[in-house]
Structure formats: C-alpha cells, structure tokens
Amino acid sequence: MTVLSLRPQAIPGRRERVRKATQRKADELLQTAAALMAEKGFEATAIRDVGRKLDASLAGMYYYFKSKEELLYQIQYRTFASLLQAQQQIAERPGTPKDRLRRLLIGHLTFFTSHPNEMKICTYELESLTGEYYNTVLELRRRYYRLMADLVAQLMTGPARKARASAHSRRVTLFVFGMLNWAFTWYSQAKDGTAEKLGGEMFDLVINGIGLEPLNR
Amino acid sequence: MTVLSLRPQAIPGRRERVRKATQRKADELLQTAAALMAEKGFEATAIRDVGRKLDASLAGMYYYFKSKEELLYQIQYRTFASLLQAQQQIAERPGTPKDRLRRLLIGHLTFFTSHPNEMKICTYELESLTGEYYNTVLELRRRYYRLMADLVAQLMTGPARKARASAHSRRVTLFVFGMLNWAFTWYSQAKDGTAEKLGGEMFDLVINGIGLEPLNR
DNA sequence: ATAGTTACCGAACGTTCGTTCGAAAATAAG
DNA sequence: CTTATTTTCGAACGAACGTTCGGTAACTAT
C-alpha cells in the first residue's frame, strides 16, 4: 500500500502512521509530476525526472505510488473530483439558468487558472489510462459533462421550441467545452485578464453571439 | 536522402528515379503512421508497429524517412499546407465577411472529416517537434490563425465600434478555434450529420448566440 | 542477359525506461 | 537507550525503443 492510494480515513489493520510531512511530500510530488507531464506529456515524462526535480531517488518514488499509471490516475482523479465538487456547489446556488451558466463558465476558468498543469493533463491524458483507472475518471468526466449539458438544454428549451433541442443542445454544450478546454493553449493573465472577464466574454458569445445585430434596446 | 524528404522536382545530381509504386507506398506509410499516432500518441507509437501494420520490416521504414521526428514533421507539414491552401482559396472567393466566415468554418470541418487522424496530430503533437521542424510547422499554424483572425476582426469592427476590438476579437477567434479543434474528441457522422450542418450550427452560435432573444423579425 | 540502381531486410547496438529488491537511514514509541 | 515502524536509496533487471549497417532482393534500362 503506497502513500497516494491511502484514503484519508485509514484502513484498519494496515499502516499505523503516515507522517504529516509525508503527506505534504505526496502533495508536492503530485504537483511536480503534473508540471512535468503538462510540459512534456505523460509518455515522455520519466519518473527519474520527477525524482530529480524533488531531490529524491528513483526508487524512493515508488513509496508514494505503485505504478506510473497510478500516479497519472491520482492527478486526474483528485483534480476532477475537486473541480466537480466546486462546480456542483456553484450550479446549486439559486439564479436563472443564464446566471448559473455564467457562473459555471467563470468557475471553470477560475479553477483552470489556479491549476493549469493538472487541468491540461485531465484534458489531454485521459486516454493514457486503462481499465479501472480509465473508467473511474471517465465517470467523473461524464458527470461534469452532464452538469453543463443539463444547464444548456434547460437554457435552450426555455423560450424556444422543445423539439430537436436535445441533439442540438448537445453540440452547443460541446462547443462550450471546446472553448473552455482550448484556452489551455493560449490563455495569458497579462493579455486576457482575469477568469471573470474571460468567462464573461465567453458567456456573451454563447448568449448573444458576436455583437453584430444591434441589441434591441 | 529518404523518399519522404524529396521534393517533387528532383534535386539534380541526387537520386535518379523514384518509382511510382514507391511514392504510393510513401503515402500509405504516412496514412498508417497517422492512424497509429492519432490513436496512441506520438511518443507511444513505435516505428516497429507502423512497419508491422504495413507488412514491412523495421529497418525498411528508414528508407522512407530518416528519423521518427521527420515522419511526424511530414505528416504535420503536408496536412497543414494542404488545409491552408484549401482555406485560402475559400477565403478569397467573393462574399460578405459573414459568408466567408461560414465557408471557412465548413471548410475546416470538411477537411477534418476527411483527414481526422492527421488533423488530430496537427492539433496535439506540434510540441513533439523541435528546431526547424517545429518552427516550420508553427509558421504554417500562424498563417492559418491569421486567416481566421483577420476575418473575425473585420466582422466585429464592422457595424460595431472599433476601439478595443483587437484584444477582444483575438479571444473570439480563439474561442472559434476551440470549438473547431475540440470536435476531434466527439464528432460522429451518424450523430452530428455532415460538416456543412455542423459548421452551420457553429456559425449561428458565433453570430447570434443561443437563440434566446427572439430574432427581431 | 547483364549491369546499375532502387527498395528492402535481419541482426545488432546503445540507450532509456518502469519496476523490483534488500538493505540502510530516519523517525517515533516504549 | 532500545525497539519497531516509516521512509529512502543504490543497484540491478528485463523490456522496449530509435537507429545503423552490410548485405540481398527486386526492378529498370540497355
């Protein structure tokens, strides 16, 4: 049983203590590994390099995870679970569907600006996972997709007709995810401002499109 | 001098003949390599596997390219050059900025539906190239970006005010590329219809947004 | 047929990688 | 201090990879 695969509530009978310093090192390890994997990709990242960056040995890394794939899984699972929880809270807060969409867009971009490496890995490297690892992360991803898709569908079937809304709103949802995820490749705080501003612009585009037709007021 | 690095017009003094069957095999090699790299990623794709899929030997592959990186470069260069040329022609055809944007979106998606593997590689694996390879493909990518960015800027500074249009239209352009590129992860002909239909929906979103406000007519 | 070029392959090399193992060091408990 | 547990490491293994080399087969032109 390695450090990273331990649940916060210890399994009885196994492993008496995990020192607080070790937990902190585990977090630092995840962060460092995420930085390297975001830069060079999962396959191209060597565990030796993670160890080197932490001034630790190669073998010492295997005290924290039992395989390179589990390391990738832990990064993705923890990141996605954290994002999902934050966004579910945001979605539950009261407001019109419009308000809630705006808050979700800003929430996603805010999370991204604080964890760019981890988010890039969640976006690019799901398919580097296999078996249970893959299925578990995929399920989180699906839950997150539904969160957004339900809201978009609700938004579109409101004042408009209901027929054919499902297939079309699916694509609108995926357009939105495209905008969100592609931001990894270009966002710069200096050029593009805060997540709030960026999310606001994205929201305006989704609701009104480019401001071509003069707003009728 | 390998087969793939030969220009159509032969270099004098080097290499008398390249058989037509060999050119055909080179094309098949690029296609097969693209399929594997699109599925498993560049790093995770072994040249041995490309050879196996073509019923050829490992060493025989090196008659066609001189390094794995050159193989990746050739896939990206040829794909991007072909896309760029097609889209430049489309952009030059007469029409309002709106018409031309619509045609460009459909053109991109049409190209993508005929070359999904190659396009996925162009999107995901630019950073697996280095040096001159990287710079050359990057320059193609920039030219393609400008093609779209100029049109979006023209569209947005038209009926609207001109101030602040530049930084904002940059982001709208990148939103559009996000929608286009993310389609790799979800597009299905059966579910989503033709490239024309998809491009049309994307165009509508960019121009009018979700159809929330009743169209004023 | 034969000579010259083009296309291909078996075998091997050197490197890098993920993973394991046994032992040592560091830390906490009695 | 002594003992038990947690944490770290050096060394090594086997597998997989990109690349090279000398030779051979296939093809073309004369």
Side-chain angles (χ1 to χ4, degrees):
Chain A
M1 187 66 42
T2 58
V3 174
L4 284 181
S5 53
L6 286 177
R7 295 274 170 282
Q9 59 281 19
I11 295 144
R14 311 284 289 129
R15 211 185 235 283
E16 309 296 332
R17 293 174 284 269
V18 174
R19 298 180 190 142
K20 275 169 287 182
T22 303
Q23 285 291 2
R24 248 181 284 117
K25 283 181 192 174
D27 292 344
E28 193 188 353
L29 190 157
L30 285 172
Q31 202 176 325
T32 302
L36 284 174
M37 289 180 184
E39 184 195 342
K40 321 180 19 165
F42 173 70
E43 285 279 348
T45 300
I47 296 187
R48 282 169 169 82
D49 292 339
V50 181
R52 199 168 297 129
K53 204 148 187 169
L54 291 165
D55 285 317
S57 71
L58 168 63
M61 297 289 96
Y62 281 82
Y63 183 70
Y64 291 88
F65 50 84
K66 69 166 171 294
S67 73
K68 192 185 178 189
E69 189 178 8
E70 196 211 28
L71 173 58
L72 178 64
Y73 165 76
Q74 290 288 346
I75 293 172
Q76 295 203 26
Y77 182 87
R78 292 174 188 225
T79 304
F80 241 123
S82 169
L83 170 66
L84 188 58
Q85 193 206 350
Q87 292 285 75
Q88 272 169 341
Q89 281 190 351
I90 286 180
E92 281 165 6
R93 279 167 41 201
T96 67
K98 263 194 188 180
D99 285 340
R100 282 152 66 215
L101 176 64
R102 183 189 189 95
R103 293 198 310 248
L104 278 185
L105 294 181
I106 292 175
H108 184 105
L109 292 168
T110 300
F111 191 93
F112 153 61
T113 53
S114 353
H115 309 91
N117 296 329
E118 288 81 356
M119 283 294 277
K120 184 174 182 183
I121 291 171
C122 287
T123 305
Y124 277 37
E125 304 285 6
L126 169 61
E127 285 162 358
S128 297
L129 295 174
T130 63
E132 258 335 285
Y133 290 145
Y134 176 84
N135 288 329
T136 305
V137 174
L138 183 63
E139 175 58 25
L140 284 182
R141 191 191 270 233
R142 285 196 171 127
R143 291 231 288 275
Y144 189 46
Y145 169 80
R146 272 185 227 118
L147 191 71
M148 197 75 80
D150 288 350
L151 190 49
V152 170
Q154 194 177 337
L155 205 58
M156 294 182 65
T157 57
R161 58 202 166 290
K162 299 206 173 190
R164 287 296 187 100
S166 171
H168 184 230
S169 82
R170 167 180 177 270
R171 285 188 286 274
V172 171
T173 305
L174 290 162
F175 289 161
V176 169
F177 273 115
M179 292 191 255
L180 288 171
N181 289 334
W182 190 245
F184 300 129
T185 66
W186 56 268
Y187 172 76
S188 123
Q189 160 84 261
K191 273 189 188 171
D192 304 301
T194 65
E196 280 80 10
K197 178 187 173 190
L198 192 60
E201 289 185 3
M202 200 179 292
F203 175 77
D204 287 345
L205 183 69
V206 172
I207 298 299
N208 299 315
I210 280 178
L212 263 194
E213 320 292 336
L215 310 170
N216 29 338
R217 72 188 54 203
Chain B
M1 187 69 37
T2 59
V3 175
L4 283 182
S5 53
L6 286 178
R7 295 273 170 282
Q9 60 279 20
I11 294 143
R14 311 283 290 131
R15 211 186 236 282
E16 308 296 332
R17 290 175 285 270
V18 174
R19 298 176 191 149
K20 274 169 288 182
T22 303
Q23 285 290 3
R24 248 181 284 117
K25 285 181 192 174
D27 292 343
E28 193 188 352
L29 190 156
L30 286 172
Q31 203 176 324
T32 302
L36 284 173
M37 288 180 184
E39 184 195 343
K40 317 178 26 161
F42 172 71
E43 285 277 350
T45 299
I47 295 188
R48 283 169 169 82
D49 293 339
V50 181
R52 200 169 296 130
K53 204 149 188 169
L54 291 165
D55 285 317
S57 72
L58 168 63
M61 296 290 96
Y62 282 81
Y63 184 69
Y64 290 88
F65 50 84
K66 68 167 172 293
S67 73
K68 192 185 179 188
E69 189 178 9
E70 196 211 26
L71 173 58
L72 178 63
Y73 166 76
Q74 290 289 346
I75 293 173
Q76 295 203 26
Y77 183 86
R78 292 174 189 226
T79 304
F80 241 122
S82 169
L83 170 65
L84 188 58
Q85 193 206 351
Q87 293 285 76
Q88 272 168 339
Q89 281 191 351
I90 286 180
E92 281 166 7
R93 279 166 41 201
T96 67
K98 263 194 188 180
D99 286 339
R100 282 152 67 215
L101 176 64
R102 184 190 188 95
R103 293 197 311 248
L104 278 185
L105 294 182
I106 292 174
H108 184 104
L109 291 168
T110 301
F111 191 94
F112 153 61
T113 53
S114 349
H115 308 92
N117 295 329
E118 287 81 357
M119 283 294 278
K120 184 174 182 183
I121 291 171
C122 286
T123 305
Y124 276 38
E125 304 285 6
L126 169 61
E127 284 163 0
S128 296
L129 295 175
T130 64
E132 262 329 289
Y133 290 144
Y134 176 85
N135 287 330
T136 305
V137 174
L138 183 63
E139 175 58 25
L140 284 182
R141 191 191 269 232
R142 287 198 171 127
R143 290 231 289 275
Y144 189 47
Y145 169 81
R146 273 186 227 117
L147 190 70
M148 197 74 82
D150 288 349
L151 190 50
V152 170
Q154 193 176 337
L155 206 59
M156 294 182 64
T157 56
R161 56 201 167 288
K162 300 205 172 189
R164 287 295 187 99
S166 171
H168 184 230
S169 82
R170 166 181 178 269
R171 285 188 286 274
V172 171
T173 305
L174 290 162
F175 290 162
V176 168
F177 273 115
M179 293 190 253
L180 289 171
N181 290 332
W182 190 246
F184 300 128
T185 66
W186 57 268
Y187 173 76
S188 123
Q189 159 84 262
K191 273 188 188 172
D192 305 302
T194 66
E196 280 81 9
K197 179 187 172 191
L198 192 60
E201 289 185 3
M202 200 180 290
F203 175 77
D204 286 345
L205 183 69
V206 172
I207 298 299
N208 299 315
I210 279 179
L212 263 195
E213 319 293 336
L215 310 171
N216 26 340
R217 70 190 54 201

